[in-house]
Amino acid sequence: METRTFRKILIANRGEIALRVMRSCRAMGIETVAVYSEADAHAPHVRFAGEAVHLGAAPAKESYLRIEKIIDAAERTGADAIHPGYGFLSENAEFAESCAAAGVVFIGPPPTAIQAMGLKSSARRLAAEAGAPVVPGYDGEDQSVETLRAQMIEIGFPVLIKASAGGGGKGMRVVRTKNAVDEAVGSARREAEKAFGDGSLLLEKYVEGARHVEVQILGDAHGNLVHLFERDCSLQRRHQKIVEESPSPAVNGELRRKMGDAAVNIGRAIGYTNAGTVEFILAPSGEFYFIEVNTRLQVEHPVTEMITGLDLVRLQIEIAEGRPLTCAQADLKTEGHAIEARLYAEDPANDFLPSTGKILDLQLPMTEGVRIDAGVECGMEVGIHYDPMLAKLIAHGENRDAAIRKLVYALRQSSIQGLRTNREFLIRLVDHQGFRQGRAHTGFIAERLDELIADDDPRLDRDSLIAVALYLQNQWQTSDGLLSELPPSYRNNPYRDPSIRFQIGSDEVEVSWRQTGSSGYEARVFDSTVTAQVLSCGPDRVRIEIDGVQRSFKVTEVGDELYVHSSLGARVIKRPPRHPVSQASSEQGSANSPMPGKVLKILVEVGQKVTAGDPLIILEAMKMEHTMRAALDGIVEEVLVSDGEVVGPGQLLVKITDTL
Ligand code: MV4
């Protein structure tokens, strides 16, 4: 194998991973080429690269998934190699082949390895042949519902349906009873067909209470293959990883050796080169089973980098250049503990629906031992076209407790205003006693969802409301009493204290106050009276002393929403709507679209009786299926949309009249 020295690499991706790859390129003295879609014309990855080539319209199918346009961009810029990042074309064997055909090096494994691992059925067989344990299951050709049902009974419930062609949880469904088979098979198949163009399904015994533990492998073109230990990714929600760490608190030295050996044996059996990940599930009994191989650099790779001190992208590039690995397994050591949390643009209080909007303020802390891989910047519009991950925060500490404490601190210091994020949810999750004790498993979040979404510090709501009220009052005072600036809810007459109504979470609250001095106030909220002192008030910040403690509250207004961030936490407070909500969209029990999306399937007809929780409509948004369900028992009075229709946020989809 001849060795080459790349001068220029095209990064066929966007967001944080494009920036991440470019950082290693820069450090190695390699020129970079970005590609971008219409929506990303001003994205940071475009500006960070030496050159940039426009691909097409915003939808990935018309831009980041266009093989011929990307190859053409590489040829036009004279790139020696293409790094695919993760997602998009990273696990597309045809893309890897097209690169080779065009004389551009694909930075990743050989197309044959991608192909072999791309189908879960063949991956399972190869892993078993390589001596790795696999879960009892069915991966046959016959895909009829009858056969699948019979196989499930044979395997024994609970069974996990997986899309043969897929990964990352798309098309995955847990089936617990015979009655649930039809709906699960139907929706899994639709999702798989939609996402992969292949609806074939695989069945596996569902291992409950398991942990998701994966092993990072690295192979060169000279037959050297090592593993870089494990990552524990047990904290997931709807198959979306949220928190990852290494070492796994559930893996001891002996198990680490066994899993590492199994991963390396699988890698050898398929002639694996470059970076890859072998996923296992670790049962509560301590048994582990192979589930799949990811033939790409993973989102959570920084966790491995922080404990090994290695630069995985640099190693990927060197391997693609044909250089041999310089580290043998015995040389590889880890130091301390690393944990990553993924910050998403989503609203945990609203079923984690993706949130869109403009980032009006972004503060991510610079703390020793904390790495931040972000793909967004202040002023950027976060839309519906791509993954809603905003940034990864990765903390490294001398042990697990130290890493957790640092991560919580970094999260608390982070502030994102202009759209909803899962920041508070992440703080509660990482700070949760069960997680701290290392007891996380794949069902952990679902089991504790209420605790993780609830607000625990009553001062957060109370003080945020007071801060916002006094902030607004100061804004109005300094805006020269322009009456048009006042919201309809604001009252100021001689017989009453000024007050404003707000919505916080699902509650409506009134805050009223009385000025007691030049900067002193007595504020009333939640039936309690609080003495507050406004120390300073700027255009986006108010500093207030309440109960003898001074705090700054950062306030950002977005329409009727106010984003408030302080050391107590972050809250979104709404001013009451200026226009009354239309009758139709506020009807009890009727289903409204929570976000922009597309109607995939209508499951009910006019006149049909429904029970609370029944599925009404399947919506596709952010590339995922979302099932809209009936909020109460009733009768479908009207279906206001049709198959394939594009719907806006708040749009009424199905009207239900209750049958009381
Ligand atoms: C499993 C499993 C239990 N049993 N397979 C999810 C992601 C994908 N890469 C593999 N996954 C799993 N496969 C069997 N046979 C558990 C998971 C799993 C999971 C399942 C349901 C809900 C959350 C989960 C989180 C991590 C892993």
Side-chain angles (χ1 to χ4, degrees):
M1 166 110 200
E2 53 156 342
T3 298
R4 305 185 43 182
T5 301
F6 299 153
R7 291 179 182 283
K8 192 184 275 188
I9 293 176
L10 181 144
I11 295 91
N13 216 301
R14 63 179 302 282
E16 69 89 14
I17 194 61
L19 291 163
R20 158 73 193 90
V21 172
M22 289 178 198
R23 277 196 294 276
S24 285
C25 291
R26 270 199 182 176
M28 296 171 77
I30 300 171
E31 309 271 355
T32 55
V33 182
V35 289
Y36 65 96
S37 71
E38 206 74 57
D40 280 338
H42 306 286
H45 80 276
V46 175
R47 278 181 284 114
F48 196 80
E51 293 166 302
V53 179
H54 177 252
L55 293 176
K61 272 201 168 66
E62 292 171 48
S63 48
Y64 297 105
L65 291 172
R66 291 288 290 268
I67 294 179
E68 75 293 348
K69 287 208 174 182
I70 293 169
I71 305 260
D72 180 62
E75 285 174 339
R76 268 193 289 147
T77 52
D80 304 300
I82 297 182
H83 195 299
Y86 53 69
F88 297 127
L89 295 169
S90 61
E91 295 182 279
N92 186 315
E94 188 196 328
F95 180 55
E97 268 162 11
S98 303
C99 289
V104 184
V105 179
F106 174 80
I107 303 176
T112 48
I114 301 177
Q115 189 94 56
M117 295 299 106
L119 277 177
K120 284 215 174 77
S121 40
S122 68
R124 259 170 71 88
R125 255 173 262 128
L126 285 161
E129 276 168 32
V134 295
V135 205
Y138 170 76
D139 53 29
E141 304 260 292
D142 186 347
Q143 292 282 312
S144 67
V145 183
E146 294 71 33
T147 302
L148 294 180
R149 189 187 300 113
Q151 287 294 333
M152 289 194 206
I153 292 164
E154 171 98 21
I155 294 164
F157 294 104
V159 170
L160 188 58
I161 303 178
K162 298 180 176 182
S164 288
K170 276 208 195 98
M172 205 168 328
R173 298 287 185 282
V174 180
V175 187
R176 298 190 177 275
T177 65
K178 228 164 72 176
N179 297 339
V181 171
D182 288 18
E183 197 192 325
V185 167
S187 78
R189 188 169 283 158
R190 265 200 312 281
E191 203 169 292
E193 218 135 58
K194 187 108 196 146
F196 319 111
D198 177 354
S200 52
L201 303 174
L202 173 87
L203 307 175
E204 278 183 4
K205 175 86 189 174
Y206 178 51
V207 182
E208 291 201 76
R211 301 183 74 112
H212 174 128
V213 180
E214 57 186 32
V215 176
Q216 176 72 55
I217 59 169
L218 203 57
D220 66 17
H222 306 269
N224 303 304
L225 190 76
V226 297
H227 71 81
L228 301 179
F229 314 99
E230 79 281 3
R231 291 183 291 256
D232 192 315
C233 313
S234 297
L235 287 184
Q236 307 191 4
R237 207 195 59 83
R238 295 202 197 134
H239 308 299
Q240 176 102 279
K241 289 172 186 163
I242 300 179
V243 172
E244 306 97 347
E245 64 182 305
S246 189
S248 165
V251 173
N252 60 24
E254 191 196 337
L255 185 53
R256 181 165 299 120
R257 211 156 34 245
K258 280 193 198 160
M259 291 180 109
D261 285 349
V264 166
N265 289 338
I266 292 167
R268 276 195 207 296
I270 57 174
Y272 202 86
T273 63
N274 219 287
T277 299
V278 183
E279 290 188 4
F280 298 99
I281 42 172
L282 177 59
S285 64
E287 313 258 14
F288 68 92
Y289 306 97
F290 165 85
I291 45 176
E292 61 187 82
V293 176
N294 297 312
T295 56
R296 59 164 193 275
L297 183 72
Q298 307 245 133
V299 177
E300 59 272 25
H301 76 276
V303 157
T304 300
E305 294 187 321
M306 287 194 97
I307 60 152
T308 59
L310 297 170
D311 175 344
L312 282 179
V313 172
R314 181 192 184 113
L315 289 163
Q316 282 191 294
I317 293 169
E318 288 170 352
I319 288 166
E321 286 179 324
R323 300 177 200 280
L325 280 175
T326 51
C327 47
Q329 190 68 56
D331 304 331
L332 292 162
K333 295 270 166 352
T334 68
E335 198 183 302
H337 198 99
I339 309 189
E340 171 179 282
R342 301 189 190 183
L343 196 58
Y344 285 104
E346 63 183 17
D347 186 3
N350 193 9
D351 202 21
F352 295 88
L353 290 168
S355 150
T356 57
K358 190 174 185 164
I359 299 178
L360 295 176
D361 188 65
L362 179 70
Q363 316 282 332
L364 299 169
M366 303 269 278
T367 311
E368 202 182 300
V370 176
R371 165 174 165 181
I372 299 200
D373 283 17
V376 293
E377 59 190 5
C378 198
M380 198 171 139
E381 200 70 56
V382 176
I384 56 154
H385 292 291
Y386 314 110
D387 188 273
M389 192 176 78
L390 299 171
K392 307 184 295 202
L393 284 77
I394 314 103
H396 183 252
E398 48 290 5
N399 54 47
R400 190 165 183 269
D401 285 338
I404 289 176
R405 184 166 66 188
K406 262 193 215 182
L407 182 58
V408 171
Y409 182 75
L411 284 164
R412 291 180 58 87
Q413 296 291 312
S414 303
S415 156
I416 303 97
Q417 309 207 306
L419 40 77
R420 313 290 173 106
T421 76
N422 67 337
R423 190 196 81 122
E424 305 288 293
F425 179 79
L426 286 175
I427 293 170
R428 288 195 200 101
L429 184 59
V430 177
D431 213 9
H432 193 284
Q433 137 172 339
F435 177 73
R436 281 183 177 276
Q437 290 168 348
R439 289 191 285 107
H441 55 87
T442 54
F444 188 87
I445 292 178
E447 279 172 19
R448 292 170 180 75
L449 204 55
D450 289 345
E451 267 176 81
L452 295 168
I453 289 172
D455 275 308
D456 37 21
D457 190 342
R459 289 177 312 170
L460 169 62
D461 283 8
R462 190 196 67 177
D463 294 7
S464 299
L465 283 162
I466 292 171
V468 161
L470 296 180
Y471 165 82
L472 289 174
Q473 132 104 19
N474 265 267
Q475 297 294 106
W476 298 323
Q477 263 174 4
T478 51
S479 69
D480 265 347
L482 281 171
L483 272 169
S484 61
E485 292 272 312
L486 299 180
S489 54
Y490 179 82
R491 273 191 295 246
N492 199 357
N493 67 52
Y495 309 108
R496 270 198 68 142
D497 290 337
S499 69
I500 317 183
R501 294 195 70 77
F502 290 115
Q503 201 181 318
I504 185 160
S506 51
D507 300 329
E508 272 229 8
V509 218
E510 188 173 72
V511 183
S512 63
W513 64 91
R514 174 203 309 259
Q515 196 149 5
T516 55
S518 63
S519 62
Y521 295 86
E522 211 175 77
R524 270 180 307 284
V525 61
F526 297 135
D527 299 321
S528 70
T529 304
V530 177
T531 308
Q533 183 102 16
V534 176
L535 302 159
S536 66
C537 190
D540 61 352
R541 190 177 293 273
V542 59
R543 190 168 175 86
I544 301 182
E545 182 177 312
I546 298 175
D547 290 342
V549 180
Q550 296 183 8
R551 282 192 186 88
S552 280
F553 294 79
K554 174 136 190 128
V555 182
T556 307
E557 289 188 68
V558 186
D560 284 337
E561 293 184 340
L562 291 137
Y563 288 76
V564 197
H565 181 269
S566 70
S567 63
L568 290 170
R571 277 308 246 156
V572 183
I573 294 173
K574 270 186 167 167
R575 287 146 79 166
R578 286 152 204 272
H579 312 288
V581 177
S582 80
Q583 184 61 31
S585 63
S586 65
E587 209 117 45
Q588 278 245 323
S590 294
N592 293 78
S593 170
M595 61 192 150
K598 199 169 115 183
V599 176
L600 266 191
K601 201 168 167 66
I602 298 168
L603 303 165
V604 291
E605 294 174 0
V606 172
Q608 189 177 327
K609 244 181 98 172
V610 291
T611 310
D614 281 357
L616 303 173
I617 275 189
I618 299 175
L619 217 61
E620 186 201 40
M622 308 293 285
K623 293 182 276 175
M624 296 284 282
E625 284 194 9
H626 302 271
T627 307
M628 305 293 116
R629 293 176 187 276
L632 42 79
D633 300 355
I635 291 181
V636 177
E637 195 187 298
E638 208 178 340
V639 176
L640 296 102
V641 290
S642 50
D643 265 331
E645 189 173 330
V646 174
V647 295
Q651 185 171 339
L652 184 63
L653 306 173
V654 176
K655 200 161 161 183
I656 292 171
T657 37
D658 82 51
T659 44
L660 284 177

